[in-house]
Amino acid sequence: MSPRSNFIALAGVLLACLMLPLVLHDEFLIHSVIMVLYFAYLACAWNLMCGYVGQISFGHSVFSGVGGYTSVLLLTGMGWSPWLGMLVGGVLAAILAIAMGYPTMRLRGPYFALTTIAFAEIIRIWFENTDVVFRIHLKGAEGLNVPLIGTSWAMFQFESKVPYYYIILCMLVLVMSMTWLMERSRLGVCLKAIRGDRDAAESLGINPTRYTLTALALSAFMTALGGSFYAQFIRFINPERNMGTELSIDMALMSIIGGQGTVFGPLLGALFLAPLAEITRTYLGGQFAGLHLAIYGLVLIVAVLYLPKGLLHPLQNWLRRGLAKKPAEPAAALSFTAVSVPKATAAVRSTYSAEGGQVK
């Protein structure tokens, strides 16, 4: 597909998303679509660091919880607009990500994943067992309710679910645009080089800790914005749902199954897994508790064995064959898979030689 065809297709999809509430009047269906977009947003935020560096984090839910709690506490305690609370929560989550990430950046593979789980669980358990800290009422496992103020854009409250739909849609477009820009930036090139071969990238002068922490802070900031949206949309937040490991697993699986390290892969994974999770919880949650997690595991096993690059890669090939009527070729505007180390390192060299400097 040519760049022009890609642009026309994306513009058509975006236009259809904008028109959806005009033809979809059922509040439950709109709520379901909002939740799919919400999970797609979180998967894209997770992908900003984990997808491009190749490190699997199962602790990203803690950033969502920090963002949600910050916006709710600033609203209930100081009367701040949740819009401002979202930004403050994002900054706090980024600081926490740097504090968590700095001592663990040299860990690789399962060791990094286990460390992120440990950090997230420590913070979740602390929130669950803390009622008051510095005169701030966290209410422990009971959670916090968002007070009803009335319809107000400033206070992030609406009678209809349609405004929430447009807000999360804009947030999703924003995070995907950031991923697209990062893909073509110096940061994206360095992250791909680190993912391909960390030692080779470091030998070229790339500082893996610096670039990985930058991506982690950006990912944590965007994840916190998603947590703030969820708290204001549901009007309730508690540690189990907003900081639990299950939420982190959802983010990771949607990105991996859709195609991590790509712009559209996490969205595709969310479109597939979010409805599947909702259906299994609705029809199997009562009699077969935990069965949806077993189904998740089965889907992940199948994806790793037969779709190592995620759902996006075969879908692209199918679209190319259908449109061009010839075998797919390895270049596409929508293909953002990780590049090989020689290509990444060559891109790094050309970028910095043009600037007359060294990679730091």
Side-chain angles (χ1 to χ4, degrees), residues 268 307 310-321:
L268 185 61
L307 297 171
L311 295 172
L312 185 63
H313 184 70
L315 178 62
Q316 289 173 336
N317 291 337
W318 179 77
L319 288 175
R320 292 192 200 105
R321 285 194 294 266

Side-chain angles (χ1 to χ4, degrees), residues 12-340:
V13 171
L14 182 58
L15 180 61
C17 291
L18 292 174
M19 298 293 291
L20 183 63
L22 300 180
V23 297
L24 196 65
H25 302 293
D26 190 299
E27 288 287 315
F28 174 75
L29 292 179
I30 294 178
H31 177 92
S32 300
V33 173
I34 291 173
M35 293 306 298
V36 171
L37 295 179
Y38 162 73
F39 280 113
Y41 173 87
L42 290 182
C44 289
W46 183 93
N47 184 59
L48 281 171
M49 192 283 289
C50 303
Y52 284 91
V53 178
Q55 295 275 44
I56 304 300
S57 168
F58 290 126
H60 257 58
S61 59
V62 71
F63 306 131
S64 171
V66 168
Y69 266 93
T70 300
S71 65
V72 173
L73 289 172
L74 289 177
L75 172 64
T76 57
M78 303 179 64
W80 284 29
S81 168
W83 297 101
L84 294 176
M86 290 175 71
L87 298 178
V88 176
V91 172
L92 292 178
I95 295 173
L96 177 62
I98 294 174
M100 289 173 53
Y102 188 79
T104 61
M105 279 297 103
R106 290 196 171 273
L107 298 176
R108 305 184 188 183
Y111 301 104
F112 178 81
L114 291 173
T115 302
T116 58
I117 292 177
F119 271 115
E121 283 297 287
I122 289 172
I123 296 175
R124 182 189 64 82
I125 293 172
W126 182 79
F127 267 83
E128 278 191 347
N129 293 277
T130 303
D131 291 327
V132 181
V133 57
F134 299 122
R135 298 184 180 180
I136 300 175
H137 293 271
L138 299 178
K139 295 187 178 181
E142 180 184 349
L144 298 173
N145 292 306
V146 177
L148 291 175
I149 299 174
T151 303
S152 171
W153 271 93
M155 291 301 172
F156 213 111
Q157 292 191 8
F158 315 98
E159 293 182 0
S160 171
K161 294 184 182 294
V162 174
Y164 294 105
Y165 169 84
Y166 285 115
I167 290 172
I168 192 61
L169 179 62
C170 291
M171 291 174 64
L172 178 59
V173 172
L174 174 63
V175 72
M176 292 180 68
S177 300
M178 291 177 61
T179 306
W180 185 83
L181 291 173
M182 189 186 77
E183 173 81 26
R184 287 156 174 76
S185 69
R186 179 187 309 171
L187 174 62
V189 172
C190 292
L191 291 178
K192 288 179 179 180
I194 294 169
R195 175 176 178 170
D197 192 321
R198 185 186 183 99
D199 296 329
E202 194 168 4
S203 69
L204 289 173
I206 298 175
N207 188 332
T209 301
R210 172 188 171 188
Y211 286 103
T212 305
L213 281 179
T214 300
L216 179 60
L218 180 62
S219 176
F221 180 87
M222 300 306 294
T223 303
L225 297 188
S228 298
F229 169 85
Y230 182 84
Q232 301 302 324
F233 175 59
I234 302 298
R235 295 176 184 172
F236 174 76
I237 185 172
N238 71 340
E240 180 181 0
R241 183 66 188 96
N242 296 89
M243 291 185 175
T245 305
E246 184 178 344
L247 181 59
S248 296
I249 294 175
D250 286 338
M251 299 184 208
L253 285 184
M254 290 175 187
S255 182
I256 293 171
I257 291 175
Q260 62 175 333
T262 67
V263 177
F264 298 96
L267 173 61
L268 185 61
L271 292 176
F272 173 70
L273 278 184
L276 176 64
E278 190 64 27
I279 292 172
T280 54
R281 287 193 187 102
T282 300
Y283 294 101
L284 302 177
Q287 297 179 347
F288 305 97
L291 181 60
H292 67 284
L293 296 178
I295 295 176
Y296 263 27
L298 179 61
V299 170
L300 179 60
I301 292 172
V302 173
V304 170
L305 291 177
Y306 299 103
L307 297 171
K309 295 183 179 180
L311 295 172
L312 185 63
H313 184 70
L315 178 62
Q316 289 173 336
N317 291 337
W318 179 77
L319 288 175
R320 292 192 200 105
R321 285 194 294 266
L323 294 175
K325 300 298 182 181
K326 62 181 180 180
E329 297 178 357
L334 287 179
S335 179
F336 301 104
T337 53
V339 298
S340 63

